[in-house]
Amino acid sequence: MSKAPLIALLTDFGMVDPYAGILKAVISKISPGTPIVDLTHEIPPGEIMRAAVYLWQSRAYFPEGTIFACVVDPGVGSARRGIILVSSGQTFIGPDNGLFTFVMTPSDKAWEINNQEYLLPQQSVTFQGRDVFAPVAAHTALGVEPKSIGRELSQLVHLDSPKLEFTPEGHMAGETLFADRFGNVVTSLGKFVKYAPQRYRFEPWIPFQSSQADLTLFSPDDFVLQLASGEKLLWVNTFSDLDKGKCGFLVGSSGLIEIVSYAARAEQLLGLALHEPLILKRSGK
Amino acid sequence: MSKAPLIALLTDFGMVDPYAGILKAVISKISPGTPIVDLTHEIPPGEIMRAAVYLWQSRAYFPEGTIFACVVDPGVGSARRGIILVSSGQTFIGPDNGLFTFVMTPSDKAWEINNQEYLLPQQSVTFQGRDVFAPVAAHTALGVEPKSIGRELSQLVHLDSPKLEFTPEGHMAGETLFADRFGNVVTSLGKFVKYAPQRYRFEPWIPFQSSQADLTLFSPDDFVLQLASGEKLLWVNTFSDLDKGKCGFLVGSSGLIEIVSYAARAEQLLGLALHEPLILKRSGK
Amino acid sequence: MSKAPLIALLTDFGMVDPYAGILKAVISKISPGTPIVDLTHEIPPGEIMRAAVYLWQSRAYFPEGTIFACVVDPGVGSARRGIILVSSGQTFIGPDNGLFTFVMTPSDKAWEINNQEYLLPQQSVTFQGRDVFAPVAAHTALGVEPKSIGRELSQLVHLDSPKLEFTPEGHMAGETLFADRFGNVVTSLGKFVKYAPQRYRFEPWIPFQSSQADLTLFSPDDFVLQLASGEKLLWVNTFSDLDKGKCGFLVGSSGLIEIVSYAARAEQLLGLALHEPLILKRSGK
């Protein structure tokens, strides 16, 4: 079994222009033979929150030692720093703009990239993915230590947390995050980890304080999901349980509540936008 | 020359969300170093027929031993089975919903995936590509036999065949299947295999019964293609033989008749939808 | 460090149909283990100029020995030739339609592909990427010499150069080339190579004649960029220097002048089309 690390790429470069291909060229030139996996290059331009959630959803499925080179970087060329973050045996490289908010923990170490030796000799202002992040990822794959590439940092930029809290009435309040390819609307409500058939334990995916006692047990079929419009959705086990044109909610593949339909786009059927408030409540209430 | 198998991926996951990247992560974690080829991730959501034709068009160009992990699966989480099919030295893994209709033959063997040992320990209801099909593909690449992963099946789901038959008048009747990137409309008429300049032998790509004697010879320039509108198209050798704004037909790269234009979309010029009836007839008739 | 060459793919096949995947299948079958990098498959159908500029922007970032298989080929199946070009230690394979205009130099050698031994045995008229260019790339990766694949050529097809010249008044005249994913408009003006902070040397990227003496020094902040509308844009250091809704210009990552905005599409804000005339002039004039 190969022990060579894998480099995963996440950018908002799209697939039309040669930018994503050039990242792979730079990596292949410095570190030939290192496997490269495209996580996605189609983050909508500048949507750091979406990229940060995707990293959270994906990272545990990658091997230990994976190096994530991440370039969603609307502030490229400004004073924002480039960083290397080591977290749970994986390495994250990219701009210090909050991209790594949902993968990092307080005990993780991070470094600011500033050793010119590991960058391309000519550096543009506008394409630091090519000139900085790809070469640093490739040198990291070759075994260069982060401390050789920069100075240790004590504080990184964090995104504001999406809404996830208890209401005074004891309901769980959250918000819509984004719609995926199929029109499923991923929400901030979760995560819910299955521990028995139709029984889920609540393990908040973002910082969460509560003094309530009954957090650790959860059975989704006792609940309804109330939209900002007042409409209430029922829990379903899977897409095909829904009648044509109807929407429901389920625990998605990352443990977050998703609003879904069957062979149709829930996002469109319900006219849902981003950051719409949601309430998850017991059906009896 | 490497003997390690290659894993080819075909899904309707799109390139925006991290789903396709996560499949590759799961495979790389279980079977590091196995080459992965993206056949496509842009099957329109749930279009099983299109995916099935793409597999038929593609599989012969892949090496012997290729493992196809295929996830176009609108019924995910329902009672539909997950299967492993071995056909002509290649392995096909995915839902039993007809995806493999055009690659399988009556003598192929298939198994239902049910050995939890080869799946991810936590299985979601909605992302079995990640939890079931990718790990089974990776374990297959490591040499695990299908019979270790599940029980043998005698009957698989088949899609209804596209139309391909002789009319009482001796014409060949078919239908439009889909339009490709260039607006070329792929049809069910074929396949036609070249055996001499402008001479093609008819070798039906789907089950076909006929008592007619003259099936084995075919010369496309003796024929016209009649659309549902009554319009008749002439055979051309290649795109650039057509005048601007004109459409014709040719034998496409898979041996199926395609309706084409030059530097324009035949699909739009002719206003063709899916499943439109077509008649291929001798020009004299 | 692996010495095996890498194959880079550039096509207009898109990511929906299986065509790009089939190229990779053919290469993997002939030359298993050769790494394949997707440069892009999303060239707008038939846009040879755009593909040619992308190759110019990308090739220097790829390793020595890289084999580029390039298929933007509206004339497929016509009399146009298939070629192998060797230029600065890299190999370019594709149709002789101008695709390689901006990478080739007068001293480069080229060959016409005509040895059937290195092509697929069955060749379609419409998919020579699969039947000709991919197998030739794979055999080249295995070490087959171009002279074994075809006869040497003395003359290749060139695209007309984009506009890049001095006006009688001593300004630099150019044109818009295309907009990228972010709405940045790449122009023909350049390239400008940084040799000191905010100091750029003009090194024309396409043939350029001038008797003027002051070509080798350039400081972009002394200049304005005048659009066809008469509007004048100021130079900025990076995107985030621009106020919301405003546009400016900068030296892009390939050394060409780009018209940009911040978190918005300059192309749309200014209503820029392709081939719009531009004048780069000293701010004082």
Side-chain angles (χ1 to χ4, degrees):
Chain A
M1 295 241 274
S2 158
K3 284 303 188 67
L6 176 157
I7 295 178
L9 302 177
L10 174 145
T11 78
D12 63 355
F13 292 165
M15 301 297 281
V16 177
D17 303 308
Y19 307 141
I22 290 173
L23 293 190
K24 291 182 257 191
V26 169
I27 291 167
S28 299
K29 201 166 178 174
I30 295 172
S31 175
T34 294
I36 303 171
V37 167
D38 296 307
L39 180 46
T40 179
H41 296 289
E42 296 276 10
I43 298 287
E47 284 196 16
I48 298 168
M49 171 63 82
R50 186 154 172 162
V53 175
Y54 281 5
L55 279 175
W56 173 79
Q57 291 181 303
S58 307
R59 61 88 57 102
Y61 295 95
F62 280 86
E64 196 184 334
T66 295
I67 299 158
F68 294 84
C70 305
V71 198
V72 179
D73 192 10
V76 63
S78 70
R80 70 96 190 89
R81 304 177 295 194
I83 56 171
I84 306 173
L85 169 76
V86 175
S87 174
S88 304
Q90 296 175 327
T91 302
F92 298 84
I93 294 165
D96 182 25
N97 61 12
L99 263 180
F100 308 132
T101 298
F102 306 124
V103 296
M104 62 178 145
T105 66
S107 61
D108 293 337
K109 287 193 171 184
W111 293 262
E112 177 175 4
I113 297 168
N114 52 24
N115 186 342
Q116 296 290 319
E117 185 183 343
Y118 297 110
L119 315 185
L120 292 201
Q122 295 280 343
Q123 288 152 40
S124 69
V125 173
T126 57
F127 194 3
Q128 298 195 354
R130 178 191 70 188
D131 303 333
V132 174
F133 302 124
V136 166
H139 285 291
T140 300
L142 290 175
V144 176
E145 298 281 343
K147 67 182 176 193
S148 304
I149 302 174
R151 67 176 181 88
E152 196 166 340
L153 291 171
S154 56
Q155 200 72 359
L156 301 187
V157 172
H158 278 69
L159 299 179
D160 291 341
S161 266
K163 186 174 192 173
L164 180 66
E165 62 191 27
F166 273 95
T167 65
E169 299 80 18
H171 308 319
M172 191 180 287
E175 63 178 305
T176 57
L177 293 180
F178 53 80
D180 76 2
R181 152 94 158 175
F182 301 95
N184 303 328
V185 179
V186 178
T187 79
S188 65
L189 293 160
K191 66 180 189 181
F192 296 101
V193 179
K194 200 181 214 166
Y195 65 92
Q198 305 205 359
R199 285 287 172 273
Y200 293 81
R201 187 170 47 236
F202 175 57
E203 296 182 357
W205 70 292
I206 45 178
F208 183 88
Q209 266 88 35
S210 173
S211 58
Q212 301 214 344
D214 65 346
L215 278 177
T216 54
L217 294 177
F218 188 81
S219 166
D221 47 351
D222 295 336
F223 286 75
V224 295
L225 183 66
Q226 183 175 308
L227 310 182
S229 64
E231 185 173 351
K232 289 174 184 170
L233 302 178
L234 299 181
W235 178 80
V236 290
N237 187 52
T238 191
F239 308 113
S240 53
D241 289 351
L242 283 158
D243 290 333
K244 192 172 155 58
K246 298 294 179 190
C247 296
F249 74 94
L250 49 70
V251 178
S253 58
S254 301
L256 300 180
I257 297 284
E258 296 182 16
I259 301 168
V260 304
S261 188
Y262 178 52
R265 299 182 63 81
E267 174 201 24
Q268 285 181 346
L269 289 171
L270 296 169
L272 287 174
L274 302 190
H275 308 302
E276 285 206 28
L278 301 168
I279 304 278
L280 186 67
K281 56 204 297 192
R282 295 195 181 274
S283 11
K285 294 192 183 178
Chain B
M1 296 240 273
S2 157
K3 284 301 189 67
L6 176 158
I7 294 177
L9 302 177
L10 174 145
T11 78
D12 62 355
F13 291 165
M15 302 296 282
V16 176
D17 303 308
Y19 308 141
I22 290 173
L23 293 190
K24 291 183 257 191
V26 169
I27 292 167
S28 299
K29 202 166 178 174
I30 295 171
S31 176
T34 294
I36 302 171
V37 167
D38 295 307
L39 180 46
T40 178
H41 296 289
E42 295 277 9
I43 298 288
E47 284 197 14
I48 299 169
M49 170 64 82
R50 186 154 173 163
V53 175
Y54 282 4
L55 279 175
W56 172 79
Q57 291 181 304
S58 308
R59 61 89 56 103
Y61 295 95
F62 280 86
E64 196 183 334
T66 295
I67 299 157
F68 294 85
C70 305
V71 198
V72 180
D73 193 11
V76 62
S78 70
R80 70 95 189 89
R81 305 178 293 195
I83 55 171
I84 307 172
L85 169 76
V86 174
S87 174
S88 304
Q90 296 174 328
T91 302
F92 297 84
I93 294 166
D96 182 25
N97 62 11
L99 264 181
F100 308 132
T101 298
F102 306 125
V103 295
M104 62 179 146
T105 66
S107 60
D108 294 337
K109 286 193 173 184
W111 293 261
E112 177 175 5
I113 297 169
N114 52 25
N115 187 342
Q116 295 290 320
E117 185 183 342
Y118 298 110
L119 315 186
L120 292 200
Q122 294 280 342
Q123 287 152 41
S124 68
V125 172
T126 57
F127 194 2
Q128 298 195 355
R130 178 190 70 189
D131 303 332
V132 175
F133 301 125
V136 166
H139 284 292
T140 301
L142 290 175
V144 175
E145 299 281 342
K147 66 182 175 193
S148 305
I149 301 175
R151 67 177 180 88
E152 198 166 340
L153 292 171
S154 56
Q155 200 73 358
L156 300 187
V157 172
H158 278 69
L159 299 179
D160 290 340
S161 265
K163 186 174 193 173
L164 179 65
E165 62 190 26
F166 273 94
T167 65
E169 299 80 17
H171 308 318
M172 191 180 286
E175 63 177 305
T176 57
L177 292 180
F178 53 80
D180 76 3
R181 153 93 159 176
F182 302 96
N184 303 326
V185 179
V186 178
T187 79
S188 65
L189 295 160
K191 65 181 191 182
F192 295 102
V193 180
K194 200 181 213 167
Y195 65 93
Q198 304 204 0
R199 286 287 173 273
Y200 293 82
R201 187 170 46 235
F202 175 59
E203 297 182 357
W205 71 291
I206 45 178
F208 184 88
Q209 266 88 34
S210 173
S211 56
Q212 301 214 343
D214 65 347
L215 278 176
T216 54
L217 296 177
F218 187 81
S219 165
D221 46 352
D222 295 336
F223 285 75
V224 295
L225 183 66
Q226 184 175 308
L227 310 182
S229 65
E231 185 174 350
K232 288 174 183 168
L233 302 178
L234 298 181
W235 178 79
V236 291
N237 188 52
T238 191
F239 307 113
S240 53
D241 289 351
L242 283 159
D243 290 333
K244 191 173 156 56
K246 298 294 180 190
C247 296
F249 75 94
L250 49 70
V251 178
S253 58
S254 302
L256 301 180
I257 297 284
E258 295 182 15
I259 300 169
V260 304
S261 188
Y262 178 52
R265 299 182 64 80
E267 174 200 24
Q268 286 181 345
L269 289 171
L270 296 169
L272 287 174
L274 302 190
H275 307 303
E276 286 207 27
L278 301 168
I279 305 279
L280 186 67
K281 54 203 299 191
R282 295 195 181 276
S283 9
K285 296 191 182 179
Chain C
M1 295 243 273
S2 158
K3 285 302 190 67
L6 175 159
I7 295 178
L9 302 177
L10 175 145
T11 77
D12 62 356
F13 291 166
M15 301 297 281
V16 177
D17 302 309
Y19 307 142
I22 290 173
L23 293 190
K24 291 182 258 191
V26 168
I27 291 167
S28 299
K29 202 166 177 174
I30 296 171
S31 176
T34 294
I36 303 171
V37 168
D38 296 307
L39 180 44
T40 178
H41 295 289
E42 295 276 10
I43 298 287
E47 285 196 15
I48 299 169
M49 170 65 81
R50 185 154 174 162
V53 175
Y54 281 4
L55 279 174
W56 172 79
Q57 291 182 303
S58 307
R59 62 89 55 103
Y61 295 94
F62 280 87
E64 197 185 334
T66 294
I67 298 158
F68 294 84
C70 305
V71 198
V72 180
D73 192 10
V76 62
S78 69
R80 69 98 189 87
R81 304 178 295 195
I83 56 172
I84 306 172
L85 169 76
V86 174
S87 175
S88 304
Q90 296 174 327
T91 302
F92 297 84
I93 295 166
D96 182 24
N97 62 11
L99 264 180
F100 307 133
T101 299
F102 306 124
V103 295
M104 61 178 146
T105 66
S107 61
D108 293 337
K109 287 194 171 183
W111 292 262
E112 178 175 5
I113 297 168
N114 53 25
N115 186 342
Q116 296 290 320
E117 185 183 343
Y118 298 110
L119 315 186
L120 292 200
Q122 294 279 343
Q123 287 152 41
S124 69
V125 173
T126 56
F127 194 3
Q128 298 195 355
R130 178 191 70 189
D131 303 332
V132 175
F133 302 125
V136 165
H139 285 292
T140 301
L142 289 175
V144 175
E145 298 282 342
K147 66 182 175 192
S148 305
I149 301 175
R151 67 176 181 89
E152 198 166 339
L153 292 171
S154 55
Q155 200 73 359
L156 301 187
V157 172
H158 277 69
L159 299 179
D160 290 341
S161 265
K163 186 174 191 173
L164 179 66
E165 61 191 27
F166 273 95
T167 65
E169 298 82 16
H171 308 319
M172 191 179 286
E175 63 178 305
T176 58
L177 293 180
F178 53 80
D180 76 2
R181 152 94 158 175
F182 301 96
N184 303 326
V185 179
V186 178
T187 80
S188 66
L189 294 160
K191 64 181 192 183
F192 296 102
V193 180
K194 201 181 214 167
Y195 65 93
Q198 305 205 358
R199 286 287 173 273
Y200 293 82
R201 188 169 48 236
F202 175 58
E203 296 183 358
W205 70 292
I206 45 179
F208 183 88
Q209 265 88 33
S210 173
S211 57
Q212 301 214 346
D214 65 347
L215 278 177
T216 55
L217 294 178
F218 187 81
S219 166
D221 46 352
D222 295 336
F223 286 75
V224 295
L225 183 66
Q226 184 176 308
L227 309 182
S229 64
E231 185 174 351
K232 288 174 185 169
L233 302 178
L234 297 181
W235 177 80
V236 291
N237 188 52
T238 191
F239 307 114
S240 53
D241 289 351
L242 282 159
D243 290 333
K244 192 173 154 57
K246 299 294 179 191
C247 296
F249 75 94
L250 49 70
V251 178
S253 58
S254 301
L256 301 180
I257 297 283
E258 296 182 15
I259 301 169
V260 303
S261 188
Y262 179 53
R265 299 182 63 82
E267 173 200 25
Q268 286 181 346
L269 289 171
L270 296 170
L272 288 174
L274 302 191
H275 307 303
E276 285 206 27
L278 302 167
I279 305 278
L280 186 68
K281 55 203 299 191
R282 294 195 180 275
S283 11
K285 295 191 182 180

